[in-house]
Amino acid sequence: MQPQQFQTWLDDPRRPTLVMGVLNVTPDSFSDGGQFLDPAAAEHQALRMAAQGADLIDIGAESTRPGSQRVPADEQIRRLRPVLQRLGRQPPCVLSIDTTRAQVAQMALDHGVSLVNDISAGRDDPAMLPLVASRGVPVVLMHMRGQPADMQQDPRYRDVVAEVRAFLARRLHAARQAGVPERNVLLDPGIGFGKTLEHNLALLAGLPALASLGRPLLVGTSRKAFIGRLTGEQDPRRRLWGTAASVAWCAANGAAIVRVHDVEPMAAVVRVARAIALAGRPPATQL
Ligand code: HH2
C-alpha cells in the first residue's frame, strides 16, 4: 500500500486486514536483533518485505523486549537516519516509526515515514501527541503495564479485557484532547507487554470487545513468548506455526493490522482467514 492510500483505508469501515512487517534496526531485539543494524541490510529487508506483501513496514531502533533498557533518542536517530535516507525518498509501502520519543518521530516524519507507532500511547514523551496532531499523521496507541524493564514482574489484572479497553479509551481521549482527530487513531492491546500467558489469550479472545471502541486494532503476536509457552518452542525464529494460528485468529476477529516478522507466509494466512470470516457475514455488516 502506498502512503496516500493509507488515509482512505483508515476512513473505510470495511477496511481489509493489512500486514505490517517488522524491521528492527537494533543489536538486541528478541527475535531479529543485530540482523538489520547495517543500513544496506535494513534497506534490503524492507524491500524484500514489501515485495512479499507487506502493506506497512514498522521500523524501530529500540528493543522493548522484557527487561530491555531504554535507548536515548539521539542513539535511535543515529541508527535510523541512514536507513530512512535510503527508504524514505520512494517508500516501497507505508513506513511506520516504532518509538516513544517525539524527537525520533519528527526525524522519521521528515524522511518519508507516515505513521507513528507509540507503545507508550503518548505517555512517555509529552511532546509526542502534539507532534502527531501538528503533522496530521495517524498514530498507534498501545497498552503496556509498567515499562519494558519491569513489565513482566508479576502482572495482575482483575479483568484484563475490561482494563485494557478502559486504558485505550482514556488514551484515545488524551489524543483527541491534544488535537489528534479520532480518525487518525489506531489502538493496540499490547500483546506481551505486562501480561501473562492467560492475559494474552484473554485479550486475543476479547478482540471484538476492543474493536467496539470503534478504532482499527493493530495486534502484534509474532514470535512472542506466549507462543513459545504454548508450543514449547524456545527459539523465537521457530515459532512460525504458532504465529500463523494467532494471526489467522486476529484477522478473523477484527484486527485491522497484524504486525509480523515473517511477511510472506503471514500475508497468505491473512488473506485466507479474512476471506472465510467475510464469507460468513451479511454484506451490510462486513468490516
Ligand atoms: N511489539 C513489539 C514492538 N513494537 N508495537 C506495537 N504497536 N505492537 C506490538 O505488539 C509491538 C510493537 C515487540 O516486537 P519486536 O519489535 O520484534 O521486538 P523488540 O521490541 O525486541 O525489538
Side-chain angles (χ1 to χ4, degrees), residues 73-142:
D74 54 357
E75 173 60 15
Q76 291 187 44
I77 289 173
R78 196 187 65 75
R79 293 176 185 174
L80 289 165
R81 200 196 302 270
V83 178
L84 294 175
Q85 279 168 341
R86 287 166 178 261
L87 283 177
R89 227 182 299 268
Q90 271 193 312
C93 59
V94 178
L95 300 181
S96 157
I97 178 70
D98 185 355
T99 189
T100 65
R101 297 286 165 191
Q103 207 188 329
V104 180
Q106 183 162 1
M107 184 281 295
L109 294 172
D110 289 340
H111 286 82
V113 165
S114 43
L115 169 66
V116 174
N117 174 21
D118 182 349
I119 64 158
S120 82
R123 293 175 301 156
D124 209 19
D125 185 340
M128 184 61 108
L129 292 176
L131 170 75
V132 166
S134 72
R135 301 294 286 258
V137 290
V139 63
V140 179
L141 304 177
M142 193 194 82

Coordinates of all heavy atoms in Angstrom, one line a residue, residues 73-142:
A73 N 17.2 9.0 22.6 CA 16.7 9.5 21.3 C 17.8 9.7 20.3 O 17.7 9.3 19.1 CB 15.9 10.8 21.5
D74 N 18.9 10.3 20.7 CA 20.0 10.6 19.7 C 20.6 9.3 19.2 O 21.0 9.2 18.0 CB 21.0 11.5 20.3 CG 21.6 11.1 21.6 OD1 21.2 10.1 22.1 OD2 22.5 11.8 22.1
E75 N 20.6 8.2 20.0 CA 21.1 6.9 19.5 C 20.1 6.3 18.6 O 20.5 5.7 17.5 CB 21.5 6.0 20.7 CG 21.8 4.6 20.3 CD 23.1 4.5 19.4 OE1 23.8 5.5 19.3 OE2 23.3 3.4 18.8
Q76 N 18.8 6.4 18.9 CA 17.8 5.9 17.9 C 17.9 6.6 16.6 O 17.9 6.0 15.5 CB 16.4 6.1 18.5 CG 16.1 5.3 19.7 CD 14.6 5.4 20.2 OE1 13.7 5.4 19.3 NE2 14.4 5.6 21.4
I77 N 18.1 7.9 16.6 CA 18.2 8.7 15.4 C 19.5 8.3 14.6 O 19.5 8.1 13.4 CB 18.2 10.2 15.7 CG1 16.8 10.6 16.2 CG2 18.7 11.1 14.5 CD1 16.7 12.1 16.7
R78 N 20.6 8.1 15.4 CA 21.8 7.6 14.7 C 21.6 6.3 13.9 O 22.1 6.1 12.8 CB 22.9 7.5 15.7 CG 24.3 7.5 15.2 CD 25.4 7.1 16.2 NE 25.2 5.8 16.8 CZ 25.5 4.7 16.2 NH1 26.1 4.7 15.0 NH2 25.3 3.5 16.8
R79 N 20.9 5.4 14.5 CA 20.6 4.1 13.9 C 19.7 4.2 12.7 O 19.8 3.6 11.7 CB 20.0 3.1 14.9 CG 21.0 2.7 16.0 CD 20.3 1.8 17.0 NE 21.1 1.5 18.2 CZ 20.7 0.9 19.2 NH1 19.5 0.4 19.3 NH2 21.6 0.6 20.2
L80 N 18.7 5.1 12.9 CA 17.6 5.2 11.9 C 17.8 6.0 10.7 O 17.4 5.7 9.6 CB 16.3 5.7 12.6 CG 15.6 4.8 13.6 CD1 14.6 5.6 14.4 CD2 14.9 3.7 12.9
R81 N 18.5 7.1 10.9 CA 18.7 8.1 9.8 C 19.2 7.5 8.5 O 18.6 7.7 7.4 CB 19.5 9.3 10.2 CG 19.2 10.5 9.3 CD 20.3 11.6 9.5 NE 20.4 12.1 10.8 CZ 19.7 13.2 11.3 NH1 18.9 13.8 10.5 NH2 19.9 13.6 12.5
P82 N 20.3 6.8 8.5 CA 20.8 6.2 7.3 C 19.8 5.2 6.6 O 19.8 5.1 5.4 CB 22.1 5.5 7.6 CG 22.1 5.4 9.1 CD 21.2 6.5 9.7
V83 N 19.0 4.6 7.4 CA 18.1 3.6 6.8 C 16.9 4.4 6.1 O 16.5 4.1 5.0 CB 17.5 2.7 7.9 CG1 16.4 1.8 7.3 CG2 18.6 1.9 8.6
L84 N 16.5 5.5 6.8 CA 15.4 6.3 6.3 C 15.8 7.1 5.1 O 15.0 7.3 4.1 CB 14.8 7.1 7.3 CG 14.0 6.3 8.4 CD1 13.6 7.3 9.5 CD2 12.9 5.5 7.9
Q85 N 17.1 7.5 5.1 CA 17.6 8.2 3.9 C 17.6 7.3 2.7 O 17.3 7.8 1.5 CB 19.1 8.7 4.2 CG 19.1 10.0 5.0 CD 20.5 10.3 5.5 OE1 21.4 9.5 5.6 NE2 20.6 11.6 5.9
R86 N 17.7 6.0 2.8 CA 17.7 5.1 1.7 C 16.2 4.8 1.3 O 15.9 4.7 0.1 CB 18.3 3.8 2.1 CG 19.8 3.8 2.1 CD 20.4 2.6 2.8 NE 21.8 2.6 2.9 CZ 22.6 2.0 2.0 NH1 22.1 1.2 1.1 NH2 23.9 2.1 2.1
L87 N 15.3 4.6 2.3 CA 14.0 4.1 2.1 C 12.9 5.2 1.8 O 11.9 5.0 1.1 CB 13.5 3.3 3.2 CG 14.0 1.9 3.4 CD1 13.5 1.3 4.6 CD2 13.6 1.1 2.2
G88 N 13.1 6.4 2.5 CA 12.1 7.4 2.6 C 11.8 8.1 1.3 O 10.7 8.6 1.2
R89 N 12.8 8.3 0.4 CA 12.6 9.1 -0.8 C 11.5 8.5 -1.6 O 10.6 9.1 -2.1 CB 13.9 9.2 -1.6 CG 14.1 10.6 -2.0 CD 15.4 10.7 -2.8 NE 16.6 10.3 -2.1 CZ 17.4 11.1 -1.4 NH1 17.1 12.3 -1.3 NH2 18.4 10.6 -0.8
Q90 N 11.5 7.2 -1.8 CA 10.5 6.4 -2.6 C 10.0 5.2 -1.7 O 10.4 4.1 -2.0 CB 11.1 5.9 -3.9 CG 10.9 7.0 -5.0 CD 11.2 6.3 -6.4 OE1 12.2 5.6 -6.5 NE2 10.4 6.5 -7.3
P91 N 9.2 5.5 -0.7 CA 8.9 4.4 0.2 C 8.2 3.2 -0.6 O 7.3 3.4 -1.4 CB 7.9 5.0 1.2 CG 8.0 6.5 1.0 CD 8.5 6.7 -0.4
P92 N 8.7 2.0 -0.3 CA 8.1 0.8 -1.0 C 6.7 0.5 -0.6 O 5.9 -0.2 -1.2 CB 9.0 -0.3 -0.7 CG 9.6 0.1 0.6 CD 9.7 1.6 0.6
C93 N 6.3 1.0 0.6 CA 4.9 0.9 1.1 C 4.8 1.9 2.2 O 5.7 2.8 2.4 CB 4.7 -0.5 1.6 SG 5.8 -1.1 2.9
V94 N 3.8 1.8 3.1 CA 3.6 2.8 4.2 C 4.7 2.5 5.2 O 4.9 1.4 5.6 CB 2.3 2.6 4.9 CG1 2.1 3.6 6.0 CG2 1.1 2.9 3.9
L95 N 5.5 3.5 5.6 CA 6.5 3.4 6.6 C 6.0 3.9 7.9 O 5.4 4.9 8.0 CB 7.8 4.1 6.2 CG 8.5 3.7 4.9 CD1 9.8 4.6 4.7 CD2 8.8 2.2 4.9
S96 N 6.3 3.1 9.0 CA 5.9 3.5 10.3 C 7.1 3.5 11.2 O 8.0 2.8 11.0 CB 4.9 2.3 10.8 OG 4.8 2.3 12.2
I97 N 7.1 4.4 12.2 CA 8.2 4.6 13.1 C 7.8 4.1 14.5 O 6.8 4.5 15.1 CB 8.7 6.0 13.2 CG1 9.9 6.1 14.2 CG2 7.7 7.0 13.5 CD1 11.2 5.4 13.7
D98 N 8.5 3.1 15.0 CA 8.2 2.5 16.3 C 9.1 3.2 17.4 O 10.3 2.8 17.6 CB 8.6 1.0 16.2 CG 8.2 0.2 17.5 OD1 7.7 0.8 18.5 OD2 8.3 -1.0 17.5
T99 N 8.5 4.2 18.0 CA 9.3 5.0 19.0 C 8.3 5.6 20.0 O 7.2 5.9 19.6 CB 10.2 6.0 18.4 OG1 11.1 6.6 19.4 CG2 9.4 7.2 17.7
T100 N 8.8 5.9 21.2 CA 8.0 6.7 22.1 C 8.6 8.1 22.2 O 8.1 8.9 23.1 CB 8.1 6.0 23.5 OG1 9.4 6.1 24.0 CG2 7.6 4.6 23.5
R101 N 9.6 8.5 21.5 CA 10.2 9.8 21.6 C 9.9 10.7 20.4 O 10.1 10.3 19.2 CB 11.8 9.6 21.5 CG 12.3 8.8 22.7 CD 12.2 9.7 23.9 NE 12.4 8.9 25.1 CZ 12.2 9.3 26.4 NH1 11.8 10.6 26.5 NH2 12.4 8.6 27.4
A102 N 9.4 11.9 20.7 CA 8.9 12.8 19.7 C 10.0 13.2 18.8 O 9.8 13.4 17.6 CB 8.3 14.0 20.4
Q103 N 11.2 13.4 19.3 CA 12.4 13.8 18.5 C 12.7 12.8 17.4 O 13.0 13.1 16.3 CB 13.6 13.9 19.5 CG 14.6 14.9 19.1 CD 15.8 14.7 20.1 OE1 15.7 14.3 21.2 NE2 17.0 14.9 19.6
V104 N 12.6 11.5 17.8 CA 12.8 10.4 16.8 C 11.7 10.4 15.8 O 11.9 10.3 14.6 CB 12.9 9.1 17.6 CG1 13.2 8.0 16.6 CG2 14.0 9.1 18.6
A105 N 10.5 10.5 16.3 CA 9.3 10.5 15.4 C 9.4 11.7 14.4 O 9.2 11.5 13.2 CB 8.0 10.6 16.2
Q106 N 9.8 12.8 14.9 CA 9.9 14.0 14.0 C 10.9 13.8 12.9 O 10.7 14.1 11.7 CB 10.3 15.2 14.8 CG 10.4 16.5 14.0 CD 10.3 17.7 14.9 OE1 10.3 17.6 16.1 NE2 10.3 18.9 14.3
M107 N 12.1 13.3 13.2 CA 13.1 13.0 12.2 C 12.5 12.0 11.2 O 12.7 12.2 10.0 CB 14.4 12.4 12.9 CG 15.5 12.1 12.0 SD 15.5 10.6 11.0 CE 15.5 9.4 12.3
A108 N 11.9 11.0 11.7 CA 11.3 9.9 10.8 C 10.3 10.6 9.8 O 10.2 10.3 8.6 CB 10.7 8.8 11.6
L109 N 9.4 11.4 10.4 CA 8.3 12.0 9.6 C 8.9 12.9 8.5 O 8.4 13.1 7.4 CB 7.4 12.8 10.5 CG 6.5 12.0 11.4 CD1 5.7 12.9 12.4 CD2 5.6 11.0 10.7
D110 N 10.1 13.5 8.8 CA 10.8 14.3 7.8 C 11.5 13.5 6.8 O 12.0 14.0 5.8 CB 11.9 15.2 8.5 CG 11.3 16.3 9.4 OD1 10.1 16.6 9.2 OD2 12.0 16.8 10.3
H111 N 11.5 12.2 7.0 CA 12.2 11.3 6.0 C 11.3 10.2 5.4 O 11.7 9.1 5.2 CB 13.4 10.6 6.7 CG 14.6 11.5 6.9 ND1 14.7 12.3 7.9 CD2 15.7 11.7 6.1 CE1 15.8 13.0 7.9 NE2 16.5 12.6 6.8
G112 N 10.0 10.6 5.2 CA 9.1 9.7 4.4 C 8.3 8.8 5.2 O 7.6 8.0 4.6
V113 N 8.4 8.9 6.5 CA 7.5 8.0 7.3 C 6.1 8.6 7.5 O 6.0 9.9 7.6 CB 8.2 7.8 8.7 CG1 7.2 7.2 9.7 CG2 9.4 6.8 8.5
S114 N 5.1 7.8 7.5 CA 3.7 8.4 7.5 C 2.8 7.9 8.6 O 1.6 8.2 8.7 CB 3.0 8.3 6.2 OG 3.2 7.1 5.6
L115 N 3.4 7.1 9.6 CA 2.6 6.6 10.7 C 3.5 6.5 11.9 O 4.7 6.1 11.8 CB 2.1 5.2 10.4 CG 1.4 4.3 11.5 CD1 0.1 5.0 12.0 CD2 1.1 2.9 11.0
V116 N 3.0 6.9 13.1 CA 3.8 6.8 14.3 C 3.2 5.7 15.2 O 2.0 5.6 15.4 CB 3.7 8.1 15.1 CG1 4.4 8.0 16.5 CG2 4.4 9.2 14.3
N117 N 4.1 4.7 15.6 CA 3.7 3.6 16.5 C 4.3 3.9 17.8 O 5.5 3.7 18.0 CB 4.2 2.3 15.8 CG 3.9 1.1 16.7 OD1 3.1 1.1 17.6 ND2 4.7 0.1 16.5
D118 N 3.5 4.3 18.8 CA 4.0 4.6 20.1 C 3.5 3.6 21.1 O 2.3 3.6 21.6 CB 3.5 6.1 20.5 CG 4.1 6.5 21.8 OD1 4.6 5.7 22.6 OD2 3.9 7.7 22.2
I119 N 4.4 2.7 21.6 CA 4.0 1.7 22.5 C 3.6 2.3 23.9 O 3.1 1.5 24.8 CB 5.0 0.6 22.7 CG1 6.3 1.1 23.3 CG2 5.3 -0.1 21.3 CD1 7.2 0.0 23.9
S120 N 4.0 3.5 24.2 CA 3.6 4.1 25.5 C 2.3 4.9 25.3 O 1.8 5.5 26.3 CB 4.7 5.1 25.9 OG 4.6 6.3 25.3
A121 N 1.7 4.9 24.1 CA 0.4 5.6 23.9 C 0.5 7.1 24.3 O -0.5 7.6 24.8 CB -0.7 4.9 24.7
G122 N 1.6 7.6 24.0 CA 1.8 9.1 24.2 C 2.1 9.5 25.6 O 2.1 10.6 26.0
R123 N 2.4 8.5 26.5 CA 2.7 8.8 27.9 C 4.1 9.0 28.2 O 4.5 9.6 29.2 CB 2.2 7.6 28.8 CG 0.7 7.4 28.8 CD 0.3 6.2 29.6 NE 0.9 5.0 29.1 CZ 1.2 3.9 29.8 NH1 0.9 3.9 31.1 NH2 1.7 2.9 29.2
D124 N 5.0 8.5 27.4 CA 6.4 8.6 27.6 C 7.0 10.0 27.4 O 7.8 10.5 28.2 CB 7.1 7.6 26.7 CG 8.4 7.0 27.3 OD1 8.5 7.1 28.5 OD2 9.2 6.5 26.5
D125 N 6.5 10.6 26.3 CA 7.1 11.9 26.0 C 5.9 12.9 25.7 O 5.1 12.7 24.8 CB 7.9 11.7 24.7 CG 8.6 13.0 24.2 OD1 8.2 14.1 24.7 OD2 9.5 12.9 23.4
P126 N 5.7 13.9 26.6 CA 4.6 14.8 26.4 C 4.5 15.5 25.1 O 3.5 16.1 24.7 CB 4.8 15.8 27.6 CG 6.1 15.6 28.1 CD 6.6 14.2 27.7
A127 N 5.6 15.5 24.4 CA 5.7 16.2 23.1 C 5.1 15.3 21.9 O 4.9 15.8 20.8 CB 7.1 16.7 22.7
M128 N 4.9 14.0 22.2 CA 4.5 13.1 21.1 C 3.1 13.4 20.5 O 3.0 13.6 19.3 CB 4.6 11.7 21.6 CG 4.3 10.6 20.5 SD 5.5 10.7 19.2 CE 6.5 9.3 19.5
L129 N 2.1 13.4 21.4 CA 0.7 13.6 20.8 C 0.6 15.0 20.1 O 0.0 15.1 19.0 CB -0.3 13.4 21.9 CG -0.4 12.0 22.3 CD1 -1.5 11.8 23.5 CD2 -0.8 11.0 21.2
P130 N 1.2 16.1 20.7 CA 1.1 17.4 20.0 C 1.9 17.3 18.6 O 1.4 17.9 17.6 CB 1.8 18.3 20.9 CG 1.6 17.8 22.3 CD 1.6 16.3 22.1
L131 N 3.0 16.6 18.6 CA 3.7 16.4 17.3 C 2.8 15.7 16.3 O 2.6 16.2 15.1 CB 5.0 15.6 17.5 CG 5.7 15.2 16.2 CD1 6.4 16.4 15.5 CD2 6.7 14.1 16.4
V132 N 2.2 14.6 16.7 CA 1.3 13.8 15.8 C 0.1 14.7 15.3 O -0.2 14.7 14.1 CB 0.8 12.6 16.5 CG1 -0.4 11.9 15.8 CG2 1.9 11.6 16.7
A133 N -0.4 15.5 16.2 CA -1.5 16.4 15.9 C -1.0 17.5 14.9 O -1.7 17.7 13.8 CB -2.0 17.1 17.1
S134 N 0.1 18.0 15.1 CA 0.6 19.1 14.2 C 0.9 18.6 12.8 O 0.8 19.3 11.8 CB 1.7 19.9 14.8 OG 2.9 19.1 14.8
R135 N 1.4 17.4 12.8 CA 1.8 16.8 11.5 C 0.6 16.1 10.7 O 0.8 15.7 9.6 CB 3.0 15.8 11.6 CG 4.2 16.4 12.3 CD 4.8 17.5 11.4 NE 5.5 16.9 10.3 CZ 6.8 16.7 10.2 NH1 7.6 17.1 11.1 NH2 7.4 16.1 9.2
G136 N -0.5 16.0 11.4 CA -1.7 15.4 10.8 C -1.5 13.9 10.4 O -2.1 13.5 9.4
V137 N -0.6 13.2 11.1 CA -0.4 11.8 10.7 C -1.1 10.8 11.7 O -1.5 11.2 12.8 CB 1.1 11.5 10.8 CG1 1.9 12.1 9.7 CG2 1.7 11.8 12.1
P138 N -1.4 9.6 11.2 CA -2.0 8.6 12.1 C -1.1 8.1 13.2 O 0.2 8.2 13.0 CB -2.5 7.5 11.2 CG -2.0 7.9 9.8 CD -1.2 9.1 9.9
V139 N -1.6 7.6 14.3 CA -0.8 7.1 15.4 C -1.4 5.9 16.0 O -2.6 5.7 16.1 CB -0.7 8.2 16.5 CG1 -2.0 8.6 17.1 CG2 0.3 7.8 17.6
V140 N -0.5 4.9 16.4 CA -0.9 3.7 17.1 C -0.7 3.9 18.5 O 0.4 4.3 18.9 CB -0.1 2.5 16.6 CG1 -0.6 1.2 17.4 CG2 -0.2 2.3 15.1
L141 N -1.7 3.7 19.4 CA -1.6 3.9 20.8 C -1.8 2.5 21.4 O -2.8 1.8 21.2 CB -2.7 4.8 21.4 CG -2.8 6.2 20.7 CD1 -4.0 6.9 21.3 CD2 -1.5 7.0 21.0
M142 N -0.7 2.0 22.1 CA -0.7 0.7 22.6 C -0.8 0.6 24.1 O -0.3 1.5 24.8 CB 0.6 0.0 22.2 CG 0.6 -1.5 22.3 SD 2.3 -2.2 22.2 CE 2.9 -1.9 23.8

